[in-house]
Amino acid sequence: MTLLAGFDAGQTHTRCRLSLVKDGLLQPVGEGEGPGVSHLDAPLGEQRFLEAIRTSAQHALKDHPTGVIQAAVVGASGIEQGTRLQQRAEALVGHALAISDGSRLGKVLVTGDERTALRGAIPEGAGILAISGTGMIVLGRGEDGHEHRCGGWGWLLDGAGSAFDLGHQGLQLTLRMADGRLPDHPLRLQIWNQMGCDSHAAVKARVVQNDFGTADFAALAPLVVEAASQGCSGAEEIVQRSAAALSNCISTVAQQLSLCSPLVVCQGGAITHLMGFRTAVQQTMRQSIPVARWGEAKGDACDGALLMAQDLTVRPR
């Protein structure tokens, strides 16, 4: 029997799931968690990555202390396919799990977490995965197995269609309300109270603090979506713009892969929990791809990583 490891390495935490392969089928045998990862070029980036892989694997192996992982796939935030960064990450994983010797060459793969999420959500065949959480990214697979990605280039460059985008635009809206460019609305005080602010100056000072980041902007998104549902015109416009941006990415992927009636699976807190935003995305999609089929994920990113690890045992890189 072959022991495989699939990792989902995010910025807040890392999950490792172990499976045995028996008669061609995956049998989960353990799961563990570790700390999150950061960009490898960030301060202590490589150390954080190693700690995340080692810790989550050790916890997953607690019931298999003598187990030897024979192939591993890591879906990690910020890893771009075909880059030197990917090669560095694979070397780190091989070192952390002791599977980098010559006899097991090619049994480690580190790739973007969107690819493992797509494989888990849609294990076989064509389809599109739209992830809209704190950030966003859309990735699809065509009938020929070719993949195309749209969006997901980071909040500084391309955050439209995410909870960050909704919250960031909402905060900008409150400043226009406060200085008289727009009529005031209870949304302004709701957002400012959540941030612990009572003035323009306090907002300006808060957003430049080291402990205020993308997740804090994203935490404002529910207030914006709720205000939109209550008829706040500025909030309604924000929700529609953000939904249109995400829908445009989905439509673009469908066009690039020649998918006429694509299966679309949505993941991420913004699109699964903020129903007003989800409805806006679906309404926009009905205009661009009326025959799109909405489906549920078959599995998660760890499941996808394990399927890809199983592929490595059959077809080493």
Side-chain angles (χ1 to χ4, degrees):
M1 292 187 291
T2 302
L3 184 63
L4 307 178
F7 295 83
D8 182 27
Q11 296 181 29
T12 56
H13 70 282
T14 297
R15 292 186 299 139
C16 171
R17 186 172 299 152
L18 300 177
S19 283
L20 291 171
V21 181
K22 186 175 182 180
D23 299 326
L25 300 176
L26 293 171
Q27 299 180 348
V29 294
E31 189 159 341
E33 289 200 4
V37 300
S38 58
H39 195 287
L40 292 186
D41 287 330
L44 302 178
E46 291 196 356
Q47 293 91 323
R48 287 195 66 193
F49 190 86
L50 277 171
E51 181 184 1
I53 297 301
R54 283 175 173 158
T55 302
S56 57
Q58 287 170 357
H59 289 168
L61 283 164
K62 62 182 181 296
D63 294 327
H64 300 270
T66 60
V68 177
I69 297 172
Q70 292 163 292
V73 171
V74 180
S77 174
I79 296 292
E80 302 294 342
Q81 186 74 8
T83 63
R84 292 196 176 189
L85 195 70
Q86 181 185 36
Q87 297 173 358
R88 283 170 56 194
E90 289 173 352
L92 290 170
V93 173
H95 177 68
L97 303 179
I99 55 175
S100 57
D101 59 278
S103 64
R104 296 173 188 162
L105 189 62
K107 298 298 180 68
V108 173
L109 171 65
V110 180
T111 188
D113 52 2
E114 73 280 358
R115 294 187 68 221
T116 52
L118 173 64
R119 184 66 183 276
I122 309 173
E124 303 292 340
I128 298 173
L129 176 67
I131 302 175
S132 175
T134 299
M136 64 76 64
I137 189 168
V138 178
L139 180 69
R141 183 192 311 121
E143 298 291 352
D144 59 358
H146 178 71
E147 294 180 353
H148 187 78
R149 170 257 190 94
C150 201
W153 302 110
W155 67 273
L156 283 170
L157 300 172
D158 188 30
S162 66
F164 161 80
D165 181 46
L166 292 164
H168 185 228
Q169 288 193 66
L171 184 56
Q172 292 175 313
L173 179 69
T174 67
L175 296 175
R176 293 194 292 273
M177 291 174 176
D179 64 18
R181 283 178 283 175
L182 291 173
D184 201 7
H185 186 277
L187 175 63
R188 178 181 64 81
L189 281 180
Q190 291 169 2
I191 287 179
W192 285 15
N193 287 340
Q194 182 162 312
M195 295 175 61
C197 298
D198 59 4
S199 67
H200 296 79
V203 170
K204 183 178 179 180
R206 181 71 187 98
V207 298
V208 298
Q209 298 301 307
N210 289 334
D211 64 344
F212 194 92
T214 54
D216 299 285
F217 282 111
L220 304 176
L223 297 176
V224 177
V225 176
E226 177 61 24
S229 71
Q230 296 175 358
C232 174
S233 60
E236 288 176 331
E237 292 173 3
I238 289 171
V239 170
Q240 290 301 321
R241 279 198 302 268
S242 198
L246 184 61
S247 298
N248 179 251
C249 285
I250 297 172
S251 300
T252 299
V253 170
Q255 293 167 4
Q256 291 293 321
L257 296 175
S258 299
L259 299 177
C260 298
S261 179
L263 171 67
V264 180
V265 174
C266 297
Q267 290 182 345
I271 199 163
T272 57
H273 298 313
L274 302 180
M275 296 312 298
F277 178 61
R278 181 184 180 92
T279 298
V281 172
Q282 291 178 329
Q283 289 175 341
T284 306
M285 282 293 298
R286 289 192 190 101
Q287 299 174 11
S288 57
I289 313 180
V291 290
R293 296 169 291 127
W294 298 92
E296 298 295 327
K298 299 292 186 182
D300 62 15
C302 281
D303 293 322
L306 284 166
L307 288 170
M308 295 169 76
Q310 186 178 16
D311 291 344
L312 290 181
T313 65
V314 179
R315 299 181 297 274
R317 298 176 68 208

